[in-house]
Amino acid sequence: MSPPVAPSGWSRWLVPPAALSVHLSIGQAYAWSVYKPPLEASLGLTGTQSALPFQLAIVMLGLSAAFGGTLVERNGPRWAMTVALVCFSSGFLISALGAQTRQFWLIVLGYGFVGGIGLGIGYISPVSTLIKWFPDRPGMATGIAIMGFGGGALIASPWSAQMLKSFGADHSGIALAFLVHGLCYAAFMSLGVLLVRVPRAAAPADGAAPGVPPGLQVSARDAVRTPQFWCLWVVLCMNVTAGIGILEKAAPMITDFFADTSTPVSVSAAAGFVALLSAANMAGRIGWSSTSDLIGRKNIYRVYLGVGAVMYALIALFGDSSKPLFILCALVILSFYGGGFATVPAYLKDLFGTYQVGAIHGRLLTAWSTAGVLGPLIVNWIADHQKAAGKHGAALYDVSFVIMIGLLVVGFAANELVRPVHPRHHISAPREAADVERQQSESA
């Protein structure tokens, strides 16, 4: 499939909606916690077990993005969005079969493995294209699209809760909900496949600087050999681990925190909390990434990691005594979580240039794979053991929150170590032009 080149006069503002149609769909992953309690009840799972499909999906997101990043650069966004559509929707259909037959391994295979591949390819599908369309405002451009991934649960969480209420929270109701997800998301993602375009090589995007931006350019192969890449890897991993630890267990967590108070949280209110977190995640992606265009990437990550540690400390110390404080701190943490994702492509562009930035971004997302295991594992494993020890309420999460604070401090230190890339890793402009021409001729 050849990358669809924009005709003369094509508006670059049509590209973000194409990206949003894919990201809003695959962002359903952030609503997984709505399915955790009914799956645990209907299939007899523990909290750690019910997190497996989500954890594997995030692992496969990072791995497929890393291995598929070069293919996305070569084949273009339409190819990538098509692959994401097929894998993500098929994952739901396989999971529906697993839920109906009570075979949990099929849910892990479908949602986690097959759907996770769709997550990874779909996530990186528009990034390089958006940066090429918006070289003047890379933080804002990637933030607009990637906010869809954070906002997906804003739609999926109440929608899933309503389907479970209508279809039933048993295995048959879960299966039907998965089936509806698969079919609806396939239709919605097809809009992005049809709409997306890449800019013409000979003409600039409207309002953008012509040609490839001057300055350093680093290949994906050389980028992974630099300390800057691995410092950013640690930064992203720590920030994601801290955010995903709350997000994956959001619904049961807020229920546990206030179970012993005079104002317990209902199932519907817990689903609403998940939707609020999704809104904060989404707002942070566009708000904080746009702010990074003004104050710089390094400074904005100082905010994400430093203030994030303070928010976790407030929840650990006072969260169970004040519901507004708990919710506010969680919303801030999730806004930083989303902002970190949306800002990192622009951070990579600043450090390595636009040449193969999509492939570099894909490799960096292996940090997300690691965090997708670490965050849920830390929170769920500790909560299960604390429950087995007879503890309840907020005490289930005290230890894991202290660990998250430590991880954010590690990420803060790694961000301080980021320096400009050494000139020996730069490539010459003629080499870049020849490589781009070769890739375009191969795709034609």
Side-chain angles (χ1 to χ4, degrees), residues 139-225:
M140 180 213 68
T142 55
I144 289 175
I146 293 177
M147 76 174 180
F149 193 88
L154 188 62
I155 299 170
S157 180
W159 181 28
S160 299
Q162 183 58 48
M163 283 196 293
L164 291 173
K165 182 178 179 180
S166 301
F167 302 152
D170 60 356
H171 68 99
S172 295
I174 296 171
L176 188 54
F178 283 160
L179 177 63
V180 172
H181 274 314
L183 297 177
C184 290
Y185 285 135
F188 191 60
M189 292 172 74
S190 66
L191 297 176
V193 173
L194 297 173
L195 188 62
V196 72
R197 299 287 189 279
V198 295
R200 298 175 65 87
D206 57 296
V212 177
L216 70 90
Q217 303 293 338
V218 182
S219 70
R221 182 180 179 182
D222 289 336
V224 298
R225 300 175 180 176

Side-chain angles (χ1 to χ4, degrees), residues 365-396:
L365 290 182
T366 54
W368 194 355
S369 295
T370 304
V373 174
L374 282 179
L377 182 63
I378 290 169
V379 174
N380 285 290
W381 186 82
I382 291 175
D384 287 344
H385 279 71
Q386 295 287 68
K387 187 177 293 185
K391 295 185 179 181
H392 53 85
L396 298 175

Side-chain angles (χ1 to χ4, degrees), residues 315-406:
I315 293 178
L317 293 172
F318 310 111
D320 59 338
S321 62
S322 173
K323 193 177 295 183
L325 177 65
F326 176 91
I327 294 173
L328 177 62
C329 290
L331 292 177
V332 172
I333 290 171
L334 263 295
S335 76
F336 292 160
Y337 169 81
F341 278 122
T343 308
V344 82
Y347 209 162
L348 290 171
K349 179 257 184 187
D350 293 346
L351 289 171
F352 303 110
T354 57
Y355 177 65
Q356 294 192 334
V357 67
I360 299 171
H361 185 223
R363 287 160 172 77
L364 190 74
L365 290 182
T366 54
W368 194 355
S369 295
T370 304
V373 174
L374 282 179
L377 182 63
I378 290 169
V379 174
N380 285 290
W381 186 82
I382 291 175
D384 287 344
H385 279 71
Q386 295 287 68
K387 187 177 293 185
K391 295 185 179 181
H392 53 85
L396 298 175
Y397 304 99
D398 288 346
V399 176
S400 59
F401 284 2
V402 172
I403 293 174
M404 296 302 179
I405 293 171

